[in-house]
Amino acid sequence: MSLLFYIFSGVMLVFGLLVVVNRNPVSSALSLVVSFMGLAALFITLNAYFIGVIQILVYTGAVMVLFLFIIMLLDIKSEQCRKLNYVAMGGGVMIVLAFVAQLTMILAGYAPGKQRLVELPGDAAVHQDVKRVGEALFTHFNFHLQLLGVLLLIATIGVVVLSRRQGEGN
Amino acid sequence: MMPSLNEYLMVSGLLFAIGFAGVLMRRNIIIIFMCLEMMLSAANLSLVAFWRFGNGQGMPAQGYDAQVLVFFVIAVAAAEVAVGLAIIVALFRARCTVHVEDLNSMKG
């Protein structure tokens, strides 16, 4: 279990780094797909089976395909010819190093998190993960779910309005 | 042999840091948007890790409110991606560029 955790978190972080390093947007998007698959595997190691499957379906299935579609649609030349912005690079690296140092110090002082997680017995069939999440969604969080539907409807209408060409259909 | 909560939080923090570095260092607005998605997912990972940490009593996990919250975050992020990409397409039509350094008409 621990070995799988290290493999998948390694895959996730390496491909996440490739997203930032790659200069071609298509390679970046494909690296992000692999990174999200590693993240979905981490969700499954945490017994969150439903969230892991949703992560693959929504992120790698829908969102990243949308990204690739837009990248191909806009036909963006890769930025090889552009020179790097060294001020932004230096600032970014310094802020990120400060963030990681801070996180390391905080986690080093957090004793309850250092003990290993207790293993839950059984697999997805025992936990009935999807059933439980569905029950919570459709009973206790019913109103919020409907609100989410309205939000998605508004987003859909907004996208249609935004992507209409100017001066068309008036 | 399960990993500890701190290891999950560290991995989640590193993913967030990588996304943050991408937002700060890259100039292509689509890459910046992808890195934002990465940061949102890192927050989801720490949420699920804390849910799992609170459920370690040796029985099938109780209480799925945290996973409902993660579900809502994913759904809202999907809506946000759709709107954001539509805005990027509109921007590209108006300016023919996706580089943030070329988009400085609001600069004083």
Side-chain angles (χ1 to χ4, degrees):
Chain A
M1 204 64 171
S2 216
L3 179 70
L4 284 178
F5 167 76
Y6 290 120
I7 290 172
F8 284 121
S9 50
V11 165
M12 185 183 80
L13 291 178
V14 166
F15 280 89
L17 208 58
L18 280 179
V19 174
V20 181
V21 172
N22 263 326
R23 310 220 66 188
N24 185 352
V26 178
S27 322
S28 283
L30 291 177
S31 308
L32 193 56
V33 169
V34 180
S35 177
F36 279 158
M37 282 183 175
L39 185 62
L42 284 188
F43 284 144
I44 289 171
T45 64
L46 283 168
N47 296 73
Y49 308 102
F50 175 66
I51 298 298
V53 172
I54 283 290
Q55 175 83 16
I56 288 194
L57 283 181
V58 173
Y59 271 104
T60 68
V63 167
M64 293 320 296
V65 169
L66 197 59
F67 266 105
L68 279 172
F69 178 69
I70 295 295
I71 290 170
M72 308 251 179
L73 181 76
L74 298 188
D75 192 23
I76 300 155
K77 301 284 174 290
S78 57
E79 44 190 309
Q80 265 118 12
C81 44
R82 290 191 167 247
K83 62 175 173 46
L84 298 169
N85 183 343
Y86 291 106
V87 179
M89 301 281 258
V93 168
M94 268 170 56
I95 290 176
V96 164
L97 285 182
F99 174 76
V100 172
Q102 177 88 29
L103 184 73
T104 313
M105 282 198 298
I106 289 174
L107 287 185
Y110 183 54
K114 282 181 187 159
Q115 58 204 11
R116 302 193 167 277
L117 293 173
V118 185
E119 205 138 355
L120 299 182
D123 54 5
V126 176
H127 292 293
Q128 296 187 311
D129 190 66
V130 183
K131 187 184 168 211
R132 306 284 205 87
V133 175
E135 274 173 5
L137 263 179
F138 286 106
T139 56
H140 194 205
F141 297 99
N142 194 10
F143 176 67
H144 309 77
L145 190 70
Q146 295 186 34
L147 220 54
L148 189 68
V150 174
L151 175 76
L152 288 174
L153 178 69
I154 292 171
T156 313
I157 295 171
V159 168
V160 171
V161 170
L162 272 174
S163 55
R164 198 183 50 175
R165 283 180 193 281
Q166 295 295 319
E168 201 179 281
N170 293 327
Chain B
M1 199 66 161
M2 290 286 292
S4 64
L5 172 67
N6 275 0
E7 287 173 288
Y8 276 105
L9 290 182
M10 194 69 212
V11 167
S12 153
L14 284 176
L15 188 67
F16 186 89
I18 290 171
F20 192 38
V23 170
L24 288 176
M25 297 193 317
R26 294 303 300 264
R27 306 281 77 153
N28 186 331
I29 202 164
I30 293 184
I31 309 270
I32 289 177
F33 206 40
M34 283 198 252
C35 290
L36 279 176
E37 290 304 308
M38 214 151 66
M39 288 159 76
L40 273 172
S41 296
N44 276 347
L45 179 60
S46 66
L47 262 174
V48 175
F50 272 114
W51 166 80
R52 181 68 178 68
F53 178 67
N55 260 309
Q57 310 309 321
M59 59 182 92
Q62 309 289 312
Y64 278 79
D65 291 7
Q67 292 200 30
V68 172
L69 179 58
V70 173
F71 174 79
F72 281 140
V73 171
I74 288 178
V76 172
E80 174 235 332
V81 165
V83 175
L85 283 175
I87 290 175
I88 290 175
V89 170
L91 186 74
F92 187 79
R93 277 198 190 133
R95 297 291 171 84
C96 288
T97 182
V98 286
H99 283 273
V100 286
E101 280 168 350
D102 299 336
L103 304 168
N104 53 4
S105 56
M106 295 264 282
K107 199 173 178 180

